Amino acid sequence: MKMKFVTFRGGIHPPEAKEATEHLKTEKAVEPTIVVIPMQQHIGAPCEPIVQAGEIVKVGQKIGEAQGFVSAPVHSSVSGIVKAVTDVPVATGNEALAVIIESDGKNEIDPSIKPKGDIEKLQPKEIVDAIKEAGIVGMGGATFPTHVKLSPPPEKNIDTIILNGAECEPYLTTDHRLMLEKPEEIVYGLKAMMKAVGVKKAYIGIENNKPDAIEVMLKAIEKEDEIKVVALQTKYPQGGEKQLIYAVTNKEVPSGGLPMEVGVIVSNVATAAQIALTIKTGMPLIERVATVTGKAIKNPKNILFKIGTPVNKLIEECGGYATTPGKLILGGPMMGNAQHTDEIPAVKGTSGILVFDQEQAKQPNPRNCIRCARCVEICPANLQPLYISENSLANRMEQAENYRALDCIECGSCSYVCPARRPLLPSIRVAKNQIIAKKREQKNNK
Amino acid sequence: MDDKLIVSSSPHILDDDTTQRIMLDVAIALLPATIAAIFYFKGSAATLILLAVLTAVATEALVQKIMGRPVTINDFSAVVTGLLLGLNIPGSAAWWMPVVGSFVAIAIVKQIFGGVGHNFMNPALAGRIFLTLSWTDRMTAWITPGVDAVSTATPLAALKEAGASVPANVPSLMDTIIGNTGGSLGETSAILLILGGIYLVWRGVISAKVPGIYIGTVAVLTLLYSGFDIQYMLYHVFSGGLMIGAIYMATDYASSPVTPKGRMYFAFGCGLLTTLIRLFGAYPEGVAFSILLMNVASPLIDRYTSPRVFGEVK
């Protein structure tokens, strides 16, 4: 296979650590007895619950109504009885409103679930509406509502869709497996998106550490003239939206802007597969795949689970803990969030459940910055993380802003390479939050 | 089990390289040149280098204790400074010279400004300059390698006398490359210093660009000055402190710019100043002064070479 591997400037090469699960077929999780479905599993306004305790619900039935345009409805992933609508601990570390449903094990499907028809016959608006009603969000982990992405303002001239199959986070293998196991679904979902936005050009970007996925996807698009598979250099954060767009199209998304400024929409391969499922069967987003892995997991797996399944149940299904867990991360090790408990529900954005042993969880001891400039060399946004961090720690937020803190994509590469173990990204995040808060305040005062 | 889970901000994995590992790598890279120094200048070299290293480490620990800071001698940065200082004095030096030099380097140049990473000048070079200015005779009393060390002129001093050509009284080019010539303890063996440099580039500790541009600039300028006398150029490249300076001191993190472009300007500036001092200055050698001058200019260079931010519209 002769292909040019494209990429972006900067980046790092963390150990991939995908061996444990990359060759394992996706397994279906055991039917959960209880699901806990949070009303907010997306970026945007939380849903309002539309069911009450004691009510009977079916699989795919809407249980939370979206509030506003940037929001996504949630649906029941089981059939059974609503036990409670209450606040529960969720992955953000806080409590949030959720609908708790006890499954009757029958998996009766809601009568509203019907195939949406052939994409050739569907109108663009019908496709976008179907995606919106199905509660589909970016399944790479960012969980931005997909229908919003597919509804660009008319003055933006969108000409390209890029599907993200880079999966540059170490440990995670769900997208990899999906590309091997359901390539036609991905292509079908991509074609639906192309029709929805009216574009004639699409790419599927895959890192070259997944040659089998590249091969399978190339085969799947054999008859598609408008879709190309692009092999990307294996490098973190190759799957970062702006980095991916640059690698594929050579265009830079302007600072502070969205991909649509350069005529591009980026979506994840898993999102595309879900869109295909929704159009073909009418089923909303009620299940997804996560990689359950890490040193402290006995039998790592790629597992298809129903939204709302408690994380500890999924871990149990992977043989439980192999040793005392030290850190529990939802997502990958570079951008995922550490959790203080495993008694939280797995949701639409849960692409990975990564558990470290106690040794791996040890916190480093930060030392003086030695100005080695490795953070400057690898920053994919071309920032100087050491100076943003230094100013942030000294509470000089204006200086931090001058060093362009807001352009940070929070990929964590700087913290990763820092030989002095300095908390670069955490301190840059503080700066970003304070700068944004101040801007908001100034705007409100006007 | 809940209270045992560690919660921290991402990323959750870190590269293996640490400050300690980097400093250890620099010390390892200097080992061949250190052994050569002991081979050429015998026992006195071993004593002087050892005194420099021990003083550096002891001073670091002492000053940190007094200032109430955590003692960080286990990061090996004081070892590197001591080693570089030891390699930067002549074989004829008295025992107290490396002691004074290392003390000044660590206590004044490094710790008073905040410790590792905060020194705005290379501590070992500043220590060397302090010694040179205070005891000029002793710091330029070069001797020939070997047991029956007699006083000698360095190849650079001979070149300076002769003007823009190679005089007859210089050692053979081969001797300057392998280090069998007069000069500071560790600076003479160009070949072993390059060997250590290759190790540092391979380990990712330094970029080959900085020494490459520095040495390249000296080579081009001396070639032009001599009317394309390649031998003259080679003497400038392989003699004096250029190799040790370009590979081990101009690449010092704390005292050089952090931007990729800035580091290149920095290296070019070092090369230009070194050549100017060597050819037109009062001293035969200009590596130490050039690097220190460029050290001071580093913050300015950084300011004017900020990389263009991804997606920035100018």
Side-chain angles (χ1 to χ4, degrees), chain B residues 171-228:
Chain B
S172 79
L173 195 59
M174 192 41 102
D175 276 342
T176 69
I177 292 174
I178 64 166
N180 190 20
T181 171
S184 299
L185 287 173
E187 71 181 24
T188 59
S189 180
I191 191 90
L192 293 179
L193 290 167
I194 292 173
L195 187 72
I198 291 169
Y199 172 76
L200 289 181
V201 170
W202 172 69
R203 283 281 308 148
V205 173
I206 64 168
S207 145
K209 280 181 193 154
V210 171
I213 293 174
Y214 189 167
I215 296 166
T217 305
V218 172
V220 170
L221 293 177
T222 51
L223 205 57
L224 290 175
Y225 177 74
S226 62
F228 295 93

Side-chain angles (χ1 to χ4, degrees), chain A residues 125-143:
Chain A
K125 187 165 182 313
E126 288 175 310
I127 296 175
V128 175
D129 285 345
I131 289 170
K132 183 177 175 186
E133 274 310 298
I136 299 177
V137 299
M139 290 168 74
T143 66

Side-chain angles (χ1 to χ4, degrees), chain A residues 182-250:
Chain A
K182 292 185 173 168
E184 305 83 20
E185 305 297 302
I186 294 171
V187 174
Y188 190 90
L190 174 56
K191 283 165 77 179
M193 281 192 258
M194 290 166 76
K195 171 112 192 231
V197 198
V199 308
K200 296 260 166 284
K201 202 164 53 174
Y203 301 93
I204 304 172
I206 307 168
E207 276 191 347
N208 62 358
N209 61 353
K210 297 179 263 296
D212 48 353
I214 295 176
E215 210 169 311
V216 168
M217 290 312 298
L218 274 174
K219 206 151 189 190
I221 56 147
E222 250 172 4
K223 294 197 188 84
E224 311 292 338
D225 297 333
E226 297 172 337
I227 304 175
K228 285 198 179 74
V229 168
V230 183
L232 309 161
Q233 257 184 44
T234 302
K235 189 165 76 169
Y236 179 88
Q238 186 63 75
E241 200 165 55
K242 295 178 174 183
Q243 283 62 44
L244 184 63
I245 293 172
Y246 182 77
V248 173
T249 67
N250 229 7

Side-chain angles (χ1 to χ4, degrees), chain A residues 163-176:
Chain A
L163 273 198
N164 188 351
E167 201 162 52
C168 59
E169 274 273 8
Y171 288 97
L172 305 189
T173 55
T174 62
D175 292 346
H176 186 181

Side-chain angles (χ1 to χ4, degrees), chain A residues 252 255 326-327 333 387 421 429, chain B residues 8-10 12 15 308 311:
Chain A
E252 284 188 23
S255 162
K327 204 183 225 183
Y387 290 137
R421 305 310 196 205
R429 270 202 199 105
Chain B
S8 64
S9 184
S10 66
H12 306 286
D15 191 28
R308 189 191 71 96

Side-chain angles (χ1 to χ4, degrees), chain B:
Chain B
M1 54 146 277
D2 286 357
D3 53 341
K4 283 193 197 120
L5 286 178
I6 303 249
V7 177
S8 64
S9 184
S10 66
H12 306 286
I13 49 173
L14 298 172
D15 191 28
D16 291 335
D17 261 6
T18 58
T19 302
Q20 196 178 28
R21 175 71 224 201
I22 290 170
M23 296 299 167
L24 191 62
D25 271 336
V26 179
I28 290 170
L30 282 168
L31 219 54
T34 308
I35 292 167
I38 296 167
F39 172 78
Y40 287 127
F41 298 102
K42 307 298 168 205
S44 66
T47 317
L48 293 170
I49 292 169
L50 199 64
L51 278 170
V53 173
L54 289 178
T55 311
V57 175
T59 309
E60 178 127 306
L62 189 74
V63 176
Q64 286 181 327
K65 268 254 150 67
I66 294 172
M67 293 176 117
R69 292 187 185 143
V71 174
T72 57
I73 50 172
N74 65 349
D75 70 8
F76 292 114
S77 64
V79 173
V80 168
T81 299
L83 191 54
L84 279 171
L85 184 104
L87 295 176
N88 262 292
I89 52 179
S92 62
W95 67 268
W96 50 267
M97 291 173 71
V99 174
V100 173
S102 277
F103 179 81
V104 169
I106 296 290
I108 296 175
V109 186
K110 186 178 172 192
Q111 284 302 335
I112 284 187
F113 286 93
V116 65
H118 292 298
N119 48 288
F120 65 99
M121 279 182 181
N122 183 314
L125 269 184
R128 170 184 170 149
I129 294 293
F130 176 82
L131 292 175
T132 306
L133 296 181
S134 309
W135 296 280
T136 312
D137 291 350
R138 285 175 180 270
M139 278 297 284
T140 52
W142 312 113
I143 51 168
T144 56
V147 269
D148 48 347
V150 291
S151 71
T152 181
T154 61
L156 282 179
L159 281 183
K160 184 123 196 167
E161 296 254 306
S165 63
V166 182
N169 63 341
V170 288
S172 79
L173 195 59
M174 192 41 102
D175 276 342
T176 69
I177 292 174
I178 64 166
N180 190 20
T181 171
S184 299
L185 287 173
E187 71 181 24
T188 59
S189 180
I191 191 90
L192 293 179
L193 290 167
I194 292 173
L195 187 72
I198 291 169
Y199 172 76
L200 289 181
V201 170
W202 172 69
R203 283 281 308 148
V205 173
I206 64 168
S207 145
K209 280 181 193 154
V210 171
I213 293 174
Y214 189 167
I215 296 166
T217 305
V218 172
V220 170
L221 293 177
T222 51
L223 205 57
L224 290 175
Y225 177 74
S226 62
F228 295 93
D229 182 341
I230 290 180
Q231 231 200 343
Y232 179 82
M233 178 273 279
L234 289 177
Y235 269 104
H236 268 288
V237 167
F238 289 111
S239 335
L242 184 58
M243 284 298 159
I244 197 169
I247 299 171
Y248 302 90
M249 295 170 143
T251 54
D252 174 46
Y253 293 147
S255 53
S256 58
V258 298
T259 65
K261 241 194 223 161
R263 286 195 167 170
M264 288 183 220
Y265 289 133
F266 175 89
F268 171 74
C270 287
L272 180 68
L273 289 175
T274 299
T275 319
L276 289 177
I277 296 173
R278 279 186 180 184
L279 299 180
F280 308 110
Y283 294 94
E285 174 58 305
V287 168
F289 281 117
S290 310
I291 296 176
L292 287 183
L293 281 170
M294 293 309 293
N295 284 165
V296 179
S298 289
L300 199 66
I301 297 175
D302 261 349
R303 188 167 311 163
Y304 288 104
T305 54
S306 272
R308 189 191 71 96
V309 171
F310 184 91
E312 186 177 349
V313 219
K314 285 225 164 138

